[in-house]
Amino acid sequence: MSPIPAIKDLPHLDDPLEDSKRIAAYRAVDENLDVEVHKIIGIGSGSTVIYVAERLGQYLQDERFSQFVSKFICIPTGFQSRNLILENGLQLGCIEQHPVIDIAFDGADEVDVNLQLIKGGGACLFQEKLVSTSSKVFIVVADYRKKSSQYLGSNWKKGVPVEVVPSAYVRVCHDLKNLLGAKQVVVRQGGSAKAGPVVTDNNNFILDADFGEIQDPKMLHENIKSLVGVVETGLFIDNAEKAYFGNADGSVEVVTN
Ligand SMILES: O=C(CO)[C@H](O)[C@H](O)COP(=O)(O)O
């Protein structure tokens, strides 16, 4: 057993960007987790949420909190998230058994002033949305680059991620361009790690649809969702309660809805 490291005493990591992710995640956990109340915890995906799971692992090692945290059931948003839960000694659960989650933490690709989000840069958007919309409280953890300068699409230039059923991808590409006005739609590729498209944890494809700056993310989400073949969009609407943005100087900006 060892007490949770105090944030002010943490040694710097090799990369200041990593410091900013870690400080956002640690602060988000410390300020929002109530070990006596929260029992079912959603754990998102990406490089920032790694530090959320790490912090929960530290709580588990602290004798003041261990009896509570050892009983937490953590609900993953995909393969990576599942491994984070296990690697940090936390109990893994599934959303079929726990459809109501007390609190969830996840990263984001861009966050606007109203806490509307673009997510899905890691291709986990469907399960991330399932978990975040099943949570009583949803907290976003991000580094400073994710804070939108104005509209969604100002910072994240890769387009809105859209998860589609594989047999429908050509039809959805067509509809995104011709019905909804996307400037460009690409089928996300595995790159050097895989010839051909990325296949999600749900065996679907991801389309990245460039709509430029998005003035009405709610309407765009609803329009995309209405297309046949679309499983889910990476626009997370009216869901996040707070966002923690870590800065390179070690400060954290907290935005609340
Ligand atoms: O939506 C996601 C994965 O689908 C991630 O949460 C998002 O890409 C942010 O990742 P990171 O914390 O690495 O910046």
Side-chain angles (χ1 to χ4, degrees):
M1 291 274 131
S2 50
I4 298 173
I7 289 179
K8 64 178 175 40
D9 298 333
L10 293 171
H12 282 292
L13 299 168
D14 289 342
D15 177 355
L17 185 60
E18 289 303 309
D19 277 323
S20 68
K21 293 179 186 187
R22 182 177 65 177
I23 186 94
Y26 279 23
R27 280 271 306 271
V29 172
D30 290 1
E31 292 176 16
N32 295 282
L33 184 73
D34 184 335
V35 293
E36 293 185 28
V37 172
H38 297 142
K39 310 274 178 240
I40 312 294
I41 318 291
I43 302 290
S45 325
S47 58
T48 313
V49 96
I50 290 173
Y51 298 108
V52 168
E54 182 175 276
R55 193 63 164 170
L56 292 175
Q58 293 168 358
Y59 275 76
L60 187 62
Q61 293 304 317
D62 186 315
E63 62 187 358
R64 292 169 298 168
F65 305 112
S66 188
Q67 58 169 316
F68 302 106
V69 179
S70 60
K71 296 196 187 82
F72 281 180
I73 307 283
C74 296
I75 310 297
T77 55
F79 186 87
Q80 178 226 4
S81 158
R82 184 177 179 280
N83 281 349
L84 285 177
I85 292 166
L86 295 174
E87 281 161 10
N88 285 283
L90 302 160
Q91 267 196 69
L92 182 67
C94 64
I95 196 153
E96 293 96 317
Q97 275 180 310
H98 301 284
V100 179
I101 295 170
D102 294 314
I103 187 167
F105 300 90
D106 203 350
D109 298 306
E110 188 170 352
V111 183
D112 79 5
V113 68
N114 300 313
L115 299 190
Q116 314 291 34
L117 319 174
I118 296 180
K119 286 184 51 55
C124 303
L125 60 105
F126 171 71
Q127 292 190 45
E128 290 174 340
K129 195 168 281 186
L130 183 61
V131 166
S132 65
T133 57
S134 302
S135 297
K136 294 178 194 160
V137 180
F138 173 37
I139 309 289
V140 177
V141 291
D143 64 74
Y144 55 91
R145 301 170 306 165
K146 308 303 182 68
K147 193 171 173 222
S148 189
S149 46
Q150 192 180 9
Y151 296 120
L152 291 179
S154 344
N155 299 12
W156 180 257
K157 299 289 186 192
K158 295 181 183 169
V160 175
V162 181
E163 182 157 345
V164 296
V165 173
S167 60
Y169 89 92
V170 175
R171 158 81 184 271
V172 179
C173 280
H174 174 275
D175 289 353
L176 287 167
K177 282 191 245 175
N178 294 289
L179 300 181
L180 302 185
K183 297 178 196 165
Q184 198 194 0
V185 182
V186 295
V187 183
R188 196 180 295 176
Q189 299 296 308
S192 57
K194 177 186 181 287
V198 166
V199 177
T200 70
D201 290 335
N202 320 301
N203 295 318
N204 292 318
F205 290 172
I206 298 286
L207 305 179
D208 290 299
D210 179 7
F211 288 93
E213 297 194 0
I214 303 165
Q215 299 198 8
D216 189 342
K218 186 172 184 178
M219 184 182 288
L220 182 60
H221 162 72
E222 284 166 2
N223 287 341
I224 299 174
K225 198 72 201 273
S226 73
L227 301 175
V228 175
V230 169
V231 175
E232 197 43 83
T233 88
L235 292 166
F236 282 49
I237 305 298
D238 298 341
N239 188 197
E241 186 164 302
K242 282 186 205 171
Y244 281 70
F245 298 101
N247 293 314
D249 65 2
S251 63
V252 177
E253 185 180 351
V254 186
V255 178
T256 305
N257 234 345

